């Protein structure tokens, strides 16, 4: 059985290299299986390794993975990063006239696949000494759809444009006014119309270092489509956007695909992935170790398959249990004990005015909060948390509050274990294990990625003793799998403790999975916002969707929510019946 050995070079401590060599039974028998590489860290020879697992168990940093791959999966990788680095098997294929989606966990090679297809990364077909030539790639994919793609690429018939994943890093490499940045890349002479469609006219005179995450995302999408290309790649285009903006950019990206143009998208918001793409590849494997690209499926089928955790064609189970959506009944549960109430509260923050009508939160309530960016959701959460005081009205809170802010302080020298002392001592099985935090214990907070930091912040918030848990955008930076496991975790903990929670988020599937009630924020971003609710799910969603002019149905197989195609029979029927959220 083919074996792969991967060493996380950031985490492995070179002081342990000699220890690993001394422990390895193959080395001890006189054959060099573990050796010391140029960076003083270990290199593992996969051919001589017998897979005993001693180095894996004895490495204090838990940075070594040794895996046996099933024969049918262990074809030659399309790319590997260094001798003991991540392996990517197979590639997704762009198709003209279609939007192709990529669905999978973080660290499974989605961005690597996009970089190989867009020519930013030269694939090496597993030979770390040598980059593959265009002819090598054509031969590698002989008889498959990717062969035609690489033939076209070699013939110069394909020009690609790429929107990177981490738009928050753009100001570090690009400077100047937004309009100057966009003018420089406008090869299509389409700047005026693109800027209008993406609603970024008002920020053209702002410096790129001075705009919000949502604005940066839209500027990055604009820059990508202004380039003259016939294959466009978008890596996580919905991050930092509110739901209204997500729907708009979905339509915008969909409309790019025509017989001369192919589009490929990586996306973790399943409702948006479903809405934006025609066909999808699932990617599975082990994070940071290897990733495999599945055959292509219709997006509906791909998402349902992903939720089921089992790929029938590949005969591959990649999750123990399926993720199931339960149809919520219309029946009202008897309200639990009152925990927090507010009466006509109002606050002014600079030029922004916030009002919240009367509302109550009861024990066991898990309440989702929906609304556009800049409409006062975070400010409202801070009023309830007692972080800020209202100018009028009153908040009656006789309970303790635990608060997870939207932006997490990253500038800390503390380690994860130091920050999570309470969670580690009291909740190792209920929080630390499901959030997979143990491998991060020795890492410093300032060294964590966005997704790792988010999981630490969620664990810290839920490890506090409180009656009300307020969480601002807990799904940000998390992949699909993590979003759904976090939503289950929050719901289970709230009910088990007889507490309540308010969750601000823009991922509607995440909120649908988690919430029983909704608060809806209406108004004009940056000018005024009014909070309504908590309302029953259907009432809250109807109010919210009316503003977006979209309707939702449940998928008959997975029961997940899906957006109806605009003006389809179901869309018209549901609008006529005033039942925008499931018919
Ligand atoms: Fe050596 Fe392989 Fe065993 Fe590690 S798993 S100790 S590399 S034989």
């Amino acid at each position: 059985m083919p074996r792969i050995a991967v060493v996380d070079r950031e985490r492995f401590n070179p002081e342990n290299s000699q220890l690993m060599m001394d422990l390895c039974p193959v080395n001890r028998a006189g054959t060099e299986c573990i050796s010391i590489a140029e960076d003083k860290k270990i290199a593992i020879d996969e051919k001589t390794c017998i897979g005993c697992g001693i180095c894996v168990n004895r490495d204090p940093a838990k940075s070594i993975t040794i895996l046996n791959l099933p024969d049918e999966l262990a074809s030659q990788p399309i790319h590997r990063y260094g001798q003991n680095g991540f392996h990517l098997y197979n590639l997704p294929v762009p198709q003209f006239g279609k939007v192709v989606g990529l669905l999978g966990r973080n660290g499974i090679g989605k961005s690597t696949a996009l970089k190989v297809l867009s020519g930013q990364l030269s694939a090496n077909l597993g030979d770390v000494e040598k980059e593959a030539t265009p002819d090598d790639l054509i031969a590698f994919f002989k008889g498959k759809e990717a062969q035609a793609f690489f033939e076209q690429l070699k013939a110069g018939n394909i020009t690609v444009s790429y929107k990177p994943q981490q738009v928050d890093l753009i100001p570090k490499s690009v400077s100047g006014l937004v309009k100057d940045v966009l003018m420089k890349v406008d090869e299509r002479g389409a700047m005026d119309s693109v800027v209008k469609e993406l609603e970024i006219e008002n920020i053209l005179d702002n410096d790129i270092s001075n705009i919000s995450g949502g604005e940066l995302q839209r500027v990055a999408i604009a820059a990508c489509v202004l380039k003259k290309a016939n294959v466009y790649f978008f890596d996580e285009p919905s991050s930092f956007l509110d739901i209204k903006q997500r729907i708009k950019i979905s339509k915008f990206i969909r409309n790019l695909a025509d017989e001369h143009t192919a589009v490929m998208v990586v996306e973790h918001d399943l409702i948006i992935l479903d809405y934006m793409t025609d066909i999808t590849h699932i990617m599975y494997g082990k994070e940071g170790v290897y990733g495999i690209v599945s055959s292509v499926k219709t997006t509906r089928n791909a998402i349902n398959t992903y939720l089921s955790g089992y790929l029938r064609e590949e005969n591959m189970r990649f999750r123990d249990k399926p993720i199931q959506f339960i149809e919520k009944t219309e029946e009202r549960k008897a309200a639990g004990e009152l925990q927090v109430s507010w009466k006509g509260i109002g606050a002014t923050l600079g030029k922004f005015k916030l009002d919240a009508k009367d509302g109550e939160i009861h024990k066991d309530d898990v309440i989702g909060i929906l609304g556009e960016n800049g409409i006062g959701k975070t400010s409202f959460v801070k009023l309830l948390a007692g972080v800020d005081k209202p100018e009028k009205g009153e908040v009656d809170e006789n309970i303790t509050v635990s608060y997870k802010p939207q932006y997490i302080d990253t500038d800390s020298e503390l380690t994860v274990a130091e920050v999570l002392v309470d969670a580690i001592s009291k909740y190792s099985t209920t929080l630390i294990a499901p959030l997979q935090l143990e491998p991060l214990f020795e890492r410093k907070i300032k060294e964590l990625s966005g997704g790792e930091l988010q999981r630490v912040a969620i664990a810290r918030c839920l490890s506090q003793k409180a009656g009300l848990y307020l969480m601002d955008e807990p799904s940000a930076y998390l992949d699909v799998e993590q979003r759904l496991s976090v939503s289950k975790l929050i719901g289970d903990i709230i009910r088990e403790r007889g507490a309540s929670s308010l969750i601000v988020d823009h991922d509607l599937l995440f909120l649908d999975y988690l919430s029983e009630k909704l608060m809806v924020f209406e108004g004009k971003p940056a000018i005024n916002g009014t909070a309504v609710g908590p309302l029953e799910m259907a009432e809250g969603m109807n109010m919210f969707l009316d503003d977006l002019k979209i309707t939702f149905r449940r998928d008959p197989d997975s029961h997940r929510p899906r957006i109806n195609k605009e003006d389809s029979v179901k869309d018209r029927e549901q609008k006529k019946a005033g039942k925008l959220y499931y018919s």
Side-chain angles (χ1 to χ4, degrees), residues 3 5 20-21 23-27 33-34 42-46 48-57 64-66:
R3 182 168 293 126
M20 294 298 116
M21 288 171 68
L23 287 169
C24 176
V26 182
N27 278 49
C33 175
I34 299 185
I42 57 168
I44 299 176
D45 179 4
E46 290 158 352
T48 54
C49 169
I50 55 169
C52 68
I54 292 176
C55 60
V56 177
N57 295 327
I64 305 172
T65 309
I66 309 279

Side-chain angles (χ1 to χ4, degrees), residues 515-539:
S515 325
E516 284 141 8
K517 291 182 182 170
L518 275 185
M519 286 193 70
V520 180
F521 279 67
E522 297 180 312
K524 280 206 166 72
I527 298 176
N528 60 55
T530 304
V532 184
L535 307 167
E536 290 303 312
M537 249 344 242
E539 194 184 353

